[in-house]
Amino acid sequence: MKEQYYPPAYGEKQFHCIYCNVFASQRWDAMYIGISQSITKSEEILSSFCNHCHKRAFWYETRIVIPDETPVEPPHQDLPLDCVPEYMEARSIFSRSPRSSAALLRLCIQKLLPHLSESGKNINDDIKSLVSKGLPVLVQKALDYCRVIGNNAVHPGEIGLNDTPEIAQNLFRMVNFIVQDRITSPKEIEDLYNQLPQGSRDAIEKRDKTNTSGTP
C-alpha cells in the first residue's frame, strides 16, 4: 500500500524530504547575513536540514526557494506512463501557478480514464459510466473533485486557486488515490490470489460456476 505523503511544510519537524523523498525529522536553523563586518540574523530566511539524507533546503517567507522544486507528492508508481508528463509538468509549475497546475491535472485525469475502460472524451460522462458499474463512492468523489477543481482552473468560478493553493495541491493526492484504488489495489489482490494453491483456485472456480448456473 502507498504510504501517506506529508509534503514539506514551513516549521514542521517531520515531512517527506524534497531531496530524498523519505519521511524524516527536520532540523530548522536560522540564517545569518554578513554585510561589511557586521552579521545580522535573518527573520525571513531559514533552512531545514534532513536528518536522513543530510541535505539542506532554504526557505524564504515560508516557501522553499532552494531547491527549485514543488513540495507536492510524486506520481504514484502505477500511474500510466502516458499520464506522467502532465502530472510532472503540473508538479513543476505548482508554486508559480496553482491554476495552471490544476488544469494540467484535469487533463491527466482525462488521459487516465481510458485506463479505467472509459472513453476519456468527457470526464463527467465517464464518471457516470463508472458509477453505473459499481464505482465506490469515495473514488467517485475523488474523480469529481479533480473534475470540478480542474474545470474552475480553466474557467475561474468561486474557487480562487491562486489564493488557496492548498485546494489545488490536494489534486495530486486525489490522482494518486484513484490510481491506488483502481489500478494498484486490484493488481495486489490478484497477485495474492494467484499465490493460492492451484487446487484451491480450481475449487473456487468450480464453486462459482455452480452458483452461476443456479444449481445448489
Side-chain angles (χ1 to χ4, degrees), residues 157-200:
E158 298 179 356
I159 303 174
L161 295 179
N162 285 329
D163 297 327
T164 54
E166 296 81 7
I167 294 176
Q169 189 178 49
N170 286 333
L171 281 171
F172 294 93
R173 187 161 58 91
M174 289 295 187
V175 171
N176 285 335
F177 168 75
I178 294 164
V179 173
Q180 175 67 36
D181 188 276
R182 295 287 87 193
I183 297 177
T184 305
S185 292
K187 183 172 66 174
E188 290 175 344
I189 293 171
E190 188 68 24
D191 289 343
L192 288 173
Y193 181 81
N194 288 333
Q195 293 175 25
L196 291 174
Q198 185 62 49
S200 298

Side-chain angles (χ1 to χ4, degrees), residues 5-64:
Y5 179 81
Y6 295 91
Y10 185 80
E12 291 293 328
K13 295 182 179 180
Q14 297 181 94
F15 50 68
H16 278 84
C17 173
I18 200 164
Y19 290 106
C20 64
N21 201 39
V22 170
F23 182 73
S25 60
Q26 307 288 324
R27 186 186 78 222
W28 290 87
D29 297 313
M31 302 298 296
Y32 293 84
I33 301 173
I35 302 176
S36 295
Q37 296 183 349
S38 64
I39 298 178
T40 305
K41 181 179 178 180
S42 173
E43 299 296 333
E44 299 174 324
I45 303 174
L46 290 176
S47 70
S48 57
F49 179 83
C50 175
N51 284 310
H52 180 264
C53 68
H54 300 161
K55 290 186 178 180
R56 192 178 295 276
F58 296 88
W59 301 66
Y60 175 72
E61 293 186 344
T62 75
R63 292 190 177 188
I64 289 181

Side-chain angles (χ1 to χ4, degrees), residues 109 112-113 115-118 123-145 147 174 177-183 186:
I109 285 290
L112 176 62
L113 285 164
H115 294 278
L116 307 184
S117 301
E118 298 301 329
I123 295 180
N124 202 41
D125 290 345
D126 285 349
I127 295 173
K128 181 178 179 180
S129 174
L130 286 168
V131 169
S132 71
K133 298 173 183 176
L135 183 74
V137 173
L138 282 177
V139 184
Q140 171 257 308
K141 289 182 177 179
L143 283 165
D144 276 321
Y145 184 94
R147 176 181 63 85
M174 289 295 187
F177 168 75
I178 294 164
V179 173
Q180 175 67 36
D181 188 276
R182 295 287 87 193
I183 297 177

